[in-house]
Amino acid sequence: MSKEKFGIAIHGGAGTILRSKMTAEKEQAYRSALEIALDAGYAVLAKGGTSLAAVECAVIKLENCPLFNAGRGSVFNAKGEHEMDASIMDGKTLHAGAVAAVRNFKNPITLAHKVLLHSDHVLLMGEGAMEFAKPYALDMESDEYFHVDHRYAQWQKIKGSDSFQLDHAKEDKKYLGTVGAVALDMDGNLAAATSTGGMTNKKFGRIGDSPLIGLGNYANNKTCAVSCTGSGEYIMRGVTAYDISCLMEYKGLSLDEAANESVMKRLLDLGGDGGVIAIDAQGNISMPFNCDGMYRGMRNQERREVSIYG
Ligand code: ASP
């Protein structure tokens, strides 16, 4: 029997433009982009679609928007290229699909979904992922499509150095980020999806937390679905997404308690900044972050809201 309750949460990255630098027009642009993605994902759920379809749909909208660091708006790596990571997980079956360091795919999340559906593997990278994709005729784009001016300017500032940074790092005033979605569908199934261009000036071949199941992305009907954003190297060491699920499963914490413990304490203690969006099997939603802001939104039958700051 179908359960009544369903809902979705999305993020467009932790860290935001400082409030003092935010103009009304920019804020409106972010809000509209988030609303488009949120409503698209929600519409899938409202029609009785699966949580997997809903999170993919929402993430595609965010990948197609140059404001966010995923798909079109992906940051430049140290070689001046765009290498993207993405993953998707089904909380009912615990099946997952992920791709790392892939280039020129318009929607890396769709490729990750193909890996979930049609491969015995969980994670494919680079040329191997490209080879795998051939039969599916996915949309490809030229390098120019991914050349977004503000990303290029960000890269120019640290190009040639050994440093790499979050696209929304404090020193850089262009605080834009990775994208993700988590959802609960009418049948009580959870799913999570995350997609990113990674970090500006990252080493060629660097893989972040986003395509790693249990680290940047996780879903399990027993507990919750989680998508992370923030400094990937810390989220990996904190095993953040699975940590939240474990705190619920083994320690009996509520979603909110678990997400807060993991993000506001454990990740912070490691020195990592970032945030998560999470939804549990009852439809509760939690979106803690330990930095200035996180582009985010949630929608269920009772509420629809989009926020940027704390
Ligand atoms: N977590 C992403 C990464 O490290 C970056 C981000 O969330 O902005 O690749």
Side-chain angles (χ1 to χ4, degrees):
M1 203 179 80
S2 287
K3 287 187 193 167
E4 293 263 307
K5 199 147 190 189
F6 57 92
I8 185 166
I10 61 167
H11 71 76
T16 54
I17 294 177
L18 287 178
R19 218 187 261 270
S20 55
K21 303 267 174 191
M22 180 64 96
T23 62
E25 297 81 68
K26 275 189 207 159
E27 184 160 348
Q28 196 41 53
Y30 292 118
R31 284 182 175 276
S32 324
L34 289 167
E35 279 165 9
I36 288 169
L38 189 63
D39 292 346
Y42 185 81
V44 172
L45 297 172
K47 275 187 240 143
T50 64
S51 50
L52 264 186
V55 294
E56 182 184 359
C57 172
V59 166
I60 285 174
K61 298 283 183 208
L62 296 165
E63 285 178 339
N64 292 347
C65 173
L67 291 175
F68 304 108
N69 173 21
R72 176 144 196 224
S74 290
V75 296
F76 286 80
N77 70 7
K79 281 172 83 173
E81 296 171 345
H82 307 277
E83 288 186 322
M84 301 172 285
D85 299 338
S87 66
I88 187 163
M89 185 163 186
D90 181 352
K92 179 182 176 189
T93 59
L94 303 189
H95 289 168
V99 291
V102 295
R103 301 193 55 209
N104 301 100
F105 285 95
K106 183 177 184 193
N107 296 114
I109 197 64
T110 300
L111 177 57
H113 201 167
K114 295 287 179 219
V115 174
L116 181 154
L117 292 171
H118 306 296
S119 165
D120 291 333
H121 301 302
V122 168
L123 173 60
L124 295 175
M125 67 162 285
E127 280 178 36
M130 189 80 113
E131 187 76 24
F132 165 81
K134 280 189 184 150
Y136 306 110
L138 301 181
D139 290 342
M140 303 300 287
E141 292 291 350
S142 66
D143 291 345
E144 288 71 56
Y145 171 84
F146 298 94
H147 186 109
V148 173
D149 286 345
H150 66 255
R151 296 289 182 223
Y152 188 71
Q154 282 177 320
W155 177 51
Q156 290 303 305
K157 283 193 205 152
I158 53 170
K159 183 183 163 186
S161 75
D162 263 344
S163 67
F164 58 94
Q165 63 183 201
L166 283 176
D167 59 336
H168 49 262
K170 281 230 164 66
E171 314 78 68
D172 189 336
K173 303 302 181 233
K174 306 275 188 199
Y175 303 136
L176 316 163
T178 290
V179 308
V182 293
L184 169 69
D185 63 31
M186 283 181 190
D187 292 322
N189 294 316
L190 294 169
T194 306
S195 179
T196 189
M199 294 170 90
T200 301
N201 209 39
K202 65 184 182 180
K203 290 261 184 293
F204 163 63
R206 179 263 188 187
I207 293 168
D209 60 301
S210 308
L212 302 177
I213 298 304
L215 287 73
N217 198 61
Y218 188 69
N220 186 336
N221 276 4
K222 272 204 246 170
T223 52
C224 59
V226 181
S227 171
C228 302
T229 172
S231 38
E233 274 64 14
Y234 294 90
I235 294 170
M236 287 187 222
R237 284 176 257 169
V239 197
T240 302
Y242 189 58
D243 189 45
I244 295 172
S245 174
C246 287
L247 286 169
M248 293 177 72
E249 186 175 357
Y250 304 150
K251 233 180 157 187
L253 299 193
S254 69
L255 179 77
D256 217 33
E257 288 167 346
N260 274 290
E261 165 80 18
S262 203
V263 172
M264 309 309 282
K265 194 168 180 311
R266 298 178 188 222
L267 187 59
L268 214 49
D269 287 351
L270 278 173
D273 62 343
V276 305
I277 50 167
I279 186 167
D280 70 13
Q282 286 70 48
N284 299 304
I285 289 173
S286 185
M287 304 191 280
F289 52 93
N290 63 29
C291 45
D292 293 335
M294 178 169 80
Y295 297 106
R296 62 198 187 281
M298 60 82 57
R299 185 164 176 194
N300 59 22
Q301 290 106 315
E302 289 103 49
R303 276 166 62 201
R304 173 183 184 268
E305 55 188 53
V306 158
S307 331
I308 299 178
Y309 300 102

